[in-house]
Amino acid sequence: MSSTEAPSEAGQDFIRDIIRRDLDSGAAEGVVTRFPPEPNGYLHIGHAKSICLNFGVAAEFGGRCNLRFDDTNPTKEEQEFIDGIIEDVRWLGFDWGARVRYASDYFEQLYEWAVHLIRAGRAYVDDQSQEEMRASRGTLTEPGRNSPWRDRTAEENIDLLVRMRAGEFPDGARVLRAKIDMAAGNINLRDPVLYRILHARHPRTGTDWCIYPSYDFAHGQSDAIEGVTHSLCTLEFADHRPLYDWLIEHLPVPSRPRQYEFARLNLTHTLLSKRVLTELVRGGHVDGWDDPRMPTLSGYRRRGVPPEAIRDFVKRIGVARADSMVDVAMLEASIRETLNLTAERRMVVLNPLKVVIENYPEGETEQLDAVNNPSNPDAGTRPVTFSREIYVERDDFMEDPPKKFFRLAPGREVRLRYAYFVTCREVIRDADGEVVELRCTYDPETRGGNTPPDGRKVKGTIHWVSAADSVRAEVRLYEPLFTDPEPEAGGFAAAINPASRQTLVDCRLEPAIVQENSDDAMQFERLGYFVRDPVSTSDHPVFNRTVGLRDSWAKVAGK
Ligand code: ATP
Ligand code: MG
């Protein structure tokens, strides 16, 4: 795997070095950061990296981090996404103090600053169409051409901006542009757009505005208003930094934030782009933003991933200056390690095969002790019911097994976890020849699964549930949404893994699982970690597999 530069110890990376340097030199008096999502979708695990970094450094250096919505594009933004993002950041374990902030809180101030730029001769209203502007912008090797409207007087510009705001012109008729340099090597400095006309209802300001600031005009100024000291963003904004600095320099802003860029998270078998995730949802390729196959925080939550595991993963990958690809197996390792410590063990049979224990008295049952969590003795034990009829996993039986198969087969003896040694005596088939039942005998001297007085050993231990009191349930197993380790974002629909979800409808749970009524992830012994799905009811329990016990995917993919 090609990980990012691993931090030498927790909290060591170039961003923290910069902050330490700024605090030591007095360039910054404290640390204020922000996490600035655009509410045009739900958060994904790439955002978790940014959240942990922004909130993490603020906490480490005794500062604060704001949650600020970058809500400047009303055609794509929705209240549902605002609410979802707030829930997800909180779930991940972070707190932003008294209130959530919004770029839209600053629309009036931003407008005043636009007027300020016009008066200073640093902005103008351009009547060119989008196509004309594109055509005159130039290329990486050729300078752009000045707009014919570039030299309007301040009075004329202000008059037009006022009328743009008043709604006199249709969408796209005019824009306000910064007057910087159409020959600048950095295209972002070739008179970038500051305001555009958009007759669209905004989730927060309703119809108050029909002109909206661009990302570049809103972002740095919002940072300055909030006293942000270190504005941390991903590498694609590096080319915007000269514009960020230009605006801060030419506006009477109350503070001077600085922007720093870090590498975004890329994960194998995963596409981290809100555009792609939106299309997966809209195209019906998944069941919604919180589909357990989605790399969204709501998807991971529904899948049973604890927030600690995501924070642990983000800490392990570190923060670097160069882009790289992180193996999704690393995320799974964090999930397994976190759940191994906390998840209680239970017994569940996914593909049941009935076993009748012929020498066990009919109608009798007994309670045996099962360990709740071998990594935490305090979790204690629970009783499980044993009886004459039980279910075992179909995969744990082979009629004609290879030598190394240590589970059930005709004439072979295995340990039933926490119960007894049993020996398979007979195989019952239905009319089609399919195995429908095994007839076994048990050794009463092996109670609790212990070695009998004669010292006889068995190599295999299998899990089971008592037939009579087990509860039927649906269990959903997941594989990556993309089999390709580095799926292409364009045309991704064709690459969706058709086997990404497998639904098993006749699974048998030990009854404690439904009686406890818990939303905590559990380990189903030998099968992986599982959590109850929100659609689950007492009549129809439904569980999701969070992750298997081993990295079975790497094997399948031949890595
Ligand atoms: P996407 O590329 O998925 O559409 P975005 O960058 O447009 O995401 P925003 O809501 O603007 O989404 O992002 C909020 C913050 O999260 C930004 O500061 C952005 O840099 C950061 N961010 C987005 N994607 C990642 C990622 N994959 N890794 C790290 N940080 C990210
Ligand atoms: Mg963005």
Side-chain angles (χ1 to χ4, degrees), residues 124-133 147 149 152 160-161 163-165 167-177 193 195-199 210-211:
Y124 62 98
V125 172
D126 194 343
D127 298 0
Q128 290 185 103
S129 67
Q130 263 192 33
E131 294 72 51
E132 287 168 324
M133 284 202 290
S147 164
W149 310 102
R152 281 176 156 151
L160 285 169
L161 183 65
R163 291 165 59 198
M164 278 167 65
R165 177 177 181 173
E168 281 189 34
F169 312 116
D171 289 2
R174 294 188 157 86
V175 291
L176 181 73
R177 297 177 78 173
V193 171
Y195 268 96
R196 65 240 192 269
I197 302 173
L198 258 182
H199 291 267
C210 62
I211 57 172

XYZ file of all heavy atoms in Angstrom, residues 124-133 147 149 152 160-161 163-165 167-177 193 195-199 210-211:
317
model
N -15.252 45.432 -11.474
C -16.131 46.031 -12.492
C -17.218 45.043 -12.887
O -17.067 43.826 -12.741
C -15.324 46.453 -13.724
C -14.632 45.303 -14.435
C -15.205 44.712 -15.568
C -13.409 44.814 -13.981
C -14.575 43.659 -16.223
C -12.776 43.757 -14.634
C -13.363 43.185 -15.750
O -12.740 42.143 -16.391
N -18.296 45.611 -13.383
C -19.395 44.784 -13.891
C -19.113 44.497 -15.358
O -18.810 45.406 -16.133
C -20.746 45.508 -13.723
C -21.864 44.721 -14.425
C -21.068 45.682 -12.238
N -19.179 43.211 -15.679
C -18.892 42.783 -17.051
C -20.178 42.283 -17.695
O -20.877 41.445 -17.126
C -17.839 41.656 -17.010
C -17.240 41.392 -18.390
O -17.846 41.832 -19.397
O -16.186 40.744 -18.451
N -20.482 42.782 -18.901
C -21.705 42.372 -19.605
C -21.452 41.220 -20.576
O -22.375 40.798 -21.264
C -22.260 43.549 -20.442
C -22.659 44.724 -19.575
O -22.499 44.627 -18.345
O -23.115 45.740 -20.136
N -20.229 40.741 -20.645
C -19.960 39.646 -21.590
C -20.733 38.393 -21.191
O -20.997 38.154 -20.014
C -18.469 39.305 -21.579
C -17.564 40.351 -22.190
C -16.132 39.836 -22.233
O -15.645 39.440 -23.282
N -15.475 39.831 -21.099
N -21.053 37.588 -22.189
C -21.687 36.293 -21.906
C -20.613 35.351 -21.359
O -19.415 35.616 -21.475
C -22.282 35.720 -23.184
O -21.232 35.382 -24.075
N -21.086 34.234 -20.790
C -20.133 33.239 -20.269
C -19.165 32.778 -21.350
O -17.981 32.610 -21.103
C -20.905 32.028 -19.738
C -21.127 32.089 -18.240
C -21.635 30.762 -17.698
O -21.286 29.692 -18.188
N -22.473 30.835 -16.677
N -19.709 32.584 -22.562
C -18.875 32.105 -23.674
C -17.813 33.150 -24.021
O -16.657 32.810 -24.252
C -19.718 31.811 -24.930
C -20.699 30.649 -24.775
C -21.880 30.982 -23.866
O -22.519 32.029 -24.100
O -22.143 30.219 -22.917
N -18.226 34.409 -24.048
C -17.262 35.462 -24.374
C -16.158 35.535 -23.320
O -14.980 35.710 -23.643
C -17.974 36.819 -24.482
C -18.813 36.951 -25.750
C -19.740 38.169 -25.716
O -20.279 38.508 -24.628
O -19.931 38.777 -26.765
N -16.563 35.381 -22.073
C -15.554 35.439 -21.007
C -14.585 34.272 -21.120
O -13.377 34.425 -20.931
C -16.225 35.442 -19.634
C -16.828 36.793 -19.291
S -17.025 36.990 -17.528
C -18.331 35.851 -17.237
N -11.711 42.721 -21.044
C -13.111 42.861 -21.422
C -13.367 44.285 -21.914
O -12.781 45.244 -21.388
C -13.994 42.599 -20.195
O -15.302 43.076 -20.436
N -15.723 45.985 -21.165
C -16.420 46.689 -20.074
C -15.509 46.973 -18.885
O -15.958 47.427 -17.850
C -17.633 45.838 -19.603
C -18.491 45.397 -20.738
C -18.528 44.163 -21.315
C -19.409 46.207 -21.471
N -19.414 44.125 -22.352
C -19.980 45.378 -22.471
C -19.807 47.560 -21.392
C -20.933 45.846 -23.367
C -20.764 48.011 -22.291
C -21.307 47.166 -23.275
N -15.225 50.738 -17.108
C -16.386 51.505 -16.658
C -16.015 52.338 -15.435
O -15.159 51.943 -14.648
C -17.503 50.540 -16.246
C -18.258 49.996 -17.424
C -19.267 48.975 -16.980
N -20.311 48.899 -17.972
C -21.024 47.810 -18.219
N -20.826 46.710 -17.523
N -21.960 47.832 -19.140
N -24.794 49.558 -11.700
C -25.139 48.238 -12.255
C -25.203 47.177 -11.162
O -26.069 46.306 -11.183
C -24.122 47.841 -13.327
C -24.284 48.570 -14.663
C -23.080 48.315 -15.567
C -25.580 48.124 -15.357
N -24.288 47.232 -10.198
C -24.300 46.237 -9.121
C -25.586 46.373 -8.297
O -26.219 45.370 -7.952
C -23.063 46.385 -8.221
C -22.957 45.327 -7.113
C -22.755 43.924 -7.699
C -21.808 45.645 -6.140
N -28.388 47.460 -9.358
C -29.502 46.938 -10.163
C -29.434 45.422 -10.316
O -30.462 44.751 -10.393
C -29.525 47.650 -11.514
C -29.943 49.123 -11.340
C -29.657 49.972 -12.557
N -30.359 49.466 -13.735
C -30.026 49.787 -14.996
N -29.010 50.601 -15.225
N -30.702 49.288 -15.995
N -28.225 44.881 -10.322
C -28.103 43.411 -10.306
C -28.752 42.877 -9.033
O -29.541 41.930 -9.055
C -26.614 42.985 -10.319
C -25.955 42.985 -11.699
S -24.130 42.847 -11.614
C -23.887 41.216 -10.926
N -28.428 43.498 -7.927
C -28.968 43.066 -6.641
C -30.492 43.229 -6.605
O -31.208 42.426 -6.006
C -28.338 43.884 -5.516
C -28.909 43.520 -4.151
C -28.241 44.263 -3.014
N -28.830 43.823 -1.749
C -28.390 44.160 -0.561
N -27.344 44.944 -0.438
N -28.980 43.704 0.520
N -32.515 42.811 -8.877
C -33.227 41.824 -9.683
C -33.624 42.326 -11.058
O -34.515 41.768 -11.692
N -32.944 43.367 -11.551
C -33.328 43.923 -12.857
C -32.894 43.063 -14.039
O -33.413 43.220 -15.135
C -32.741 45.334 -13.016
C -33.520 46.393 -12.292
C -33.026 47.792 -12.652
O -32.604 48.011 -13.793
O -33.056 48.645 -11.739
N -31.917 42.180 -13.812
C -31.350 41.448 -14.952
C -31.526 39.940 -14.778
O -31.528 39.442 -13.658
C -29.856 41.758 -15.092
C -29.537 43.227 -15.038
C -28.752 43.744 -14.006
C -30.049 44.087 -15.998
C -28.465 45.093 -13.953
C -29.768 45.445 -15.944
C -28.973 45.955 -14.915
N -31.658 39.242 -15.900
C -31.806 37.778 -15.809
C -30.477 37.098 -15.455
O -29.406 37.715 -15.569
C -32.258 37.377 -17.215
C -31.733 38.447 -18.114
C -31.721 39.718 -17.302
N -30.573 35.808 -15.080
C -29.380 35.017 -14.759
C -28.365 35.108 -15.894
O -28.730 34.993 -17.066
C -29.755 33.528 -14.596
C -30.544 33.277 -13.323
O -30.829 34.247 -12.606
O -30.877 32.096 -13.077
N -27.124 35.294 -15.533
C -26.057 35.242 -16.537
C -25.877 36.514 -17.342
O -24.953 36.591 -18.162
N -26.746 37.513 -17.134
C -26.656 38.723 -17.963
C -25.384 39.521 -17.672
O -24.795 40.112 -18.575
C -27.887 39.607 -17.743
N -24.975 39.535 -16.411
C -23.794 40.316 -16.009
C -23.122 39.614 -14.836
O -23.762 38.846 -14.112
C -24.204 41.710 -15.531
C -24.787 42.587 -16.601
C -24.979 44.015 -16.090
N -25.023 44.940 -17.207
C -26.123 45.234 -17.896
N -27.283 44.691 -17.582
N -26.067 46.090 -18.905
N -21.856 39.925 -14.632
C -21.162 39.467 -13.415
C -20.326 40.624 -12.886
O -20.009 41.553 -13.628
C -20.213 38.269 -13.684
C -20.992 37.010 -14.024
C -19.202 38.596 -14.777
N -19.982 40.518 -11.605
C -18.988 41.443 -11.054
C -17.655 40.702 -11.053
O -17.582 39.550 -10.599
C -19.352 41.852 -9.629
C -18.354 42.837 -8.999
C -18.515 44.238 -9.614
C -18.509 42.903 -7.479
N -16.631 41.354 -11.606
C -15.304 40.717 -11.643
C -14.282 41.580 -10.919
O -14.381 42.811 -10.921
C -14.829 40.571 -13.099
C -15.716 39.678 -13.918
C -15.241 39.616 -15.370
N -14.077 38.743 -15.551
C -13.573 38.437 -16.744
N -14.086 38.966 -17.854
N -12.539 37.622 -16.844
N -14.470 36.069 -11.270
C -15.845 36.471 -10.969
C -16.034 36.554 -9.449
O -15.644 35.645 -8.713
C -16.841 35.457 -11.570
C -18.263 35.741 -11.078
C -16.778 35.502 -13.093
N -19.248 38.047 -8.204
C -20.703 37.885 -8.020
C -21.342 37.456 -9.322
O -20.956 37.928 -10.389
C -21.356 39.226 -7.617
C -21.437 39.422 -6.127
C -20.466 40.148 -5.458
C -22.490 38.863 -5.397
C -20.535 40.321 -4.085
C -22.564 39.034 -4.021
C -21.582 39.761 -3.371
O -21.663 39.913 -2.033
N -22.332 36.582 -9.225
C -23.121 36.249 -10.408
C -24.602 36.349 -10.077
O -24.983 36.268 -8.891
C -22.767 34.861 -10.943
C -23.110 33.731 -10.014
C -21.836 32.948 -9.661
N -22.198 31.683 -8.981
C -22.322 31.568 -7.662
N -22.143 32.599 -6.854
N -22.650 30.405 -7.133
N -25.400 36.517 -11.112
C -26.851 36.642 -10.918
C -27.462 35.242 -10.926
O -27.190 34.439 -11.821
C -27.488 37.478 -12.046
C -26.855 38.875 -12.105
C -29.013 37.579 -11.857
C -27.307 39.704 -13.312
N -28.234 34.946 -9.901
C -28.896 33.638 -9.805
C -30.242 33.862 -9.130
O -30.292 34.094 -7.913
C -28.082 32.713 -8.898
C -27.195 31.638 -9.484
C -26.549 30.839 -8.352
C -27.996 30.714 -10.393
N -31.296 33.809 -9.910
C -32.624 33.965 -9.310
C -33.036 32.613 -8.739
O -33.767 31.852 -9.366
C -33.624 34.471 -10.350
C -33.360 35.877 -10.778
N -33.954 36.961 -10.176
C -32.528 36.377 -11.728
C -33.518 38.077 -10.747
N -32.640 37.748 -11.697
N -30.572 37.844 -5.211
C -30.551 37.169 -6.515
C -29.166 37.296 -7.127
O -28.953 36.975 -8.280
C -31.637 37.697 -7.433
S -31.443 39.430 -7.797
N -28.219 37.819 -6.334
C -26.813 37.735 -6.734
C -26.089 37.005 -5.600
O -26.415 37.196 -4.419
C -26.157 39.121 -6.973
C -26.264 40.004 -5.724
C -26.795 39.799 -8.180
C -25.458 41.300 -5.840
